Amino acid sequence: MPIVVQKYGGSSVADVEKIRKVALRVKETRERGYQVVVVVSAMGDTTDELLALAKQVSPDPPRRELDMLLTCGERISMALLSMALQEQGVAAISFTGSQSGIITNDAHSQARIVEVRPYRIQDELARGKVVIVAGYQGVSYKREVTTLGRGGSDTTAVALAAALSAESCEIYSDVDGVFSADPRVVPDARKLETLSYDEMQELASAGAKVLNAQAVEFAKAKGIVILARTAHAAGTGTAVQEVAPADTRVRGVTAEAEMAVLSAAVEAVKLPELLEFLDARGVRGRALAFDGLMGQGRTFIAVPLQDVHGLEVLKRDVGARFGEAVTLREEVGTVTAVGAGMNADWSYLRRALGVAEELGARVHAVHTSPLQLTLLVDKQHLKPLTARLHREFLGA
């Protein structure tokens, strides 16, 4: 029997009634002749609630203990879904990440999967059971519990699909696929039927919430087709796979508000010193702009806040180490347009800067790559700039 891996996000398992609906969908898949592996996120806002609880105890929780705490959320979901399936007469069993054979490096709170040994999963599938796996987590080669960073349940699902040679990897969320912009910001945003791995990874890393960037990277490396669908109704969704670049250069526009920007004076702080400081604290950057001609200028590093669990402590440490030579700003965010070949000339950048000027949005920095154009602006301009650039580049 072919294997299907299905992943359900937190909103899809937010309460008991929704868990029962997921169980019915899984049962229907099983009845169509598939072996089913289900990856679940924590219920609703459980992860945020656990994180808030940790910060009541410590402003900068130890990463190891944070992993021990946060992995509880997915374990709740997996056990409840297993119970719901068994109530419907479907044999099922739940496994944690470590029981599933998901081996990671030892980078607590943002671990990367290095190997999958799905022997227990294969054994239970052979016994006719549905296997439910706690997403977002694994075990390091040091036998420590680890988490894969926010959105890491997507990565769990793709990694298992690759290891099990699954027929498909289905990622279920509130929306039916990937849109050209957030429909809450741009009501006329279009659903994209297909996206290349590279396009999807750029959108995900720039703030699009439907899929996790590391999961897309893993899928590309393993050749796994991801089907992003809604958990609440029938729909065609979006297929993320290896496809030729689309005719339309700009495929989507997205914004990222949950971030901070480190700005350093080049003449006062050497870039390797600043990067070493960030690495020592596990602080990752999404984009870096460096102007160091003639020993003058500034360095800008965009830092997503989803994995910075001690922001106030980071601010304190930056001040203690670098003084006024390095500033950390939270009032800015990024708006990013993604598309193959969009930086073949300067026309898109010129148009983007013109739109920003029309809106009165000051552009603090620009980052470009073959697939991406990013503007760093004040947060109050993120939504209007996203909507205007979508209309400018996609005509809606």
Side-chain angles (χ1 to χ4, degrees):
M1 294 170 66
I3 298 173
V4 170
V5 176
Q6 297 181 337
K7 178 263 177 176
Y8 293 90
S11 61
S12 301
V13 293
D15 55 43
V16 170
E17 186 56 36
K18 289 185 176 180
I19 288 174
R20 289 196 179 106
K21 290 180 179 178
V22 168
L24 281 173
R25 183 183 287 269
V26 173
K27 181 180 180 181
E28 291 169 358
T29 304
R30 186 75 178 81
E31 290 172 346
R32 292 201 306 269
Y34 290 97
Q35 295 178 301
V36 187
V37 176
V38 183
V39 176
V40 290
S41 298
M43 297 173 66
D45 297 324
T46 299
T47 300
D48 290 334
E49 293 166 359
L50 291 171
L51 183 57
L53 187 63
K55 289 189 175 180
Q56 291 179 38
V57 176
S58 168
D60 187 18
R63 298 298 182 265
R64 179 189 183 277
E65 305 309 325
L66 201 57
D67 280 357
M68 295 293 285
L69 175 67
L70 296 184
T71 49
C72 295
E74 284 71 22
R75 291 173 64 182
I76 293 170
S77 297
M78 74 180 196
L80 290 175
L81 181 56
S82 180
M83 295 174 193
L85 281 164
Q86 292 179 62
E87 279 297 304
Q88 294 176 15
V90 178
I93 188 170
S94 63
F95 287 146
T96 64
S98 60
Q99 290 172 321
S100 304
I102 297 173
I103 314 300
T104 74
N105 62 14
D106 64 347
H108 283 290
S109 83
Q110 50 189 26
R112 294 182 68 87
I113 296 173
V114 296
E115 185 182 359
V116 180
R117 303 170 183 170
Y119 309 124
R120 293 191 67 184
I121 293 176
Q122 291 167 327
D123 287 346
E124 296 300 336
L125 289 175
R127 295 185 179 105
K129 294 182 181 180
V130 170
V131 179
I132 301 102
V133 176
Y136 174 61
Q137 61 187 257
V139 61
S140 76
Y141 52 84
K142 296 180 180 179
R143 305 188 72 176
E144 291 278 357
V145 173
T146 55
T147 61
L148 308 178
R150 297 303 290 267
S153 293
D154 290 354
T155 309
T156 302
V158 173
L160 287 175
L164 295 167
S165 299
E167 182 176 287
S168 63
C169 181
E170 303 169 353
I171 306 292
Y172 289 92
S173 66
D174 283 340
V175 293
D176 185 29
V178 183
F179 285 72
S180 57
D182 185 339
R184 294 169 297 183
V185 177
V186 183
D188 294 329
R190 308 162 183 169
K191 191 183 77 171
L192 304 171
E193 298 298 330
T194 60
L195 274 172
S196 70
Y197 293 121
D198 291 338
E199 290 167 338
M200 186 66 249
Q201 190 171 358
E202 292 283 355
L203 284 168
S205 66
K209 306 299 183 185
V210 179
L211 288 173
N212 173 272
Q214 184 182 339
V216 180
E217 176 188 341
F218 204 103
K220 179 182 179 180
K222 303 297 183 180
I224 301 297
V225 177
I226 300 176
L227 303 175
R229 295 173 170 171
T230 177
H232 306 303
T236 57
T238 299
V240 180
Q241 56 193 339
E242 195 61 65
V243 294
D247 293 335
T248 303
R249 284 187 175 183
V250 176
R251 298 283 275 155
V253 181
T254 188
E256 177 62 90
E258 297 300 314
M259 64 178 302
V261 172
L262 285 164
S263 175
V266 171
E267 62 270 23
V269 180
K270 293 181 178 179
L271 181 57
E273 180 184 5
L274 179 57
L275 297 179
E276 181 182 16
F277 170 86
L278 296 176
D279 271 341
R281 287 155 181 79
V283 177
R284 296 182 292 181
R286 184 173 75 80
L288 185 152
F290 178 66
D291 175 15
L293 294 177
M294 306 302 291
Q296 297 179 341
R298 298 195 71 81
T299 298
F300 295 93
I301 301 176
V303 176
L305 293 180
Q306 61 182 4
D307 293 319
V308 179
H309 299 302
L311 182 59
E312 294 304 316
V313 175
L314 177 62
K315 289 180 183 177
R316 182 197 66 196
D317 291 349
V318 166
R321 175 72 174 272
F322 301 107
E324 296 182 356
V326 177
T327 59
L328 193 152
R329 304 177 58 186
E330 298 177 73
E331 73 278 9
V332 293
T334 56
V335 177
T336 300
V338 170
M342 63 179 298
N343 288 311
D345 56 40
W346 298 114
S347 61
Y348 282 93
L349 178 56
R350 285 191 289 104
R351 291 161 65 188
L353 293 174
V355 168
E357 185 176 4
E358 288 176 16
L359 293 174
R362 179 186 175 190
V363 177
H364 300 285
V366 173
H367 173 75
T368 64
S369 73
L371 280 169
Q372 181 188 112
L373 166 61
T374 297
L375 304 183
L376 181 70
V377 298
D378 294 331
K379 284 185 178 177
Q380 69 263 30
H381 297 300
L382 293 180
K383 290 184 178 180
L385 184 56
T386 299
R388 280 285 286 108
L389 286 181
H390 188 274
R391 184 161 71 248
E392 176 72 21
F393 293 154
L394 289 97

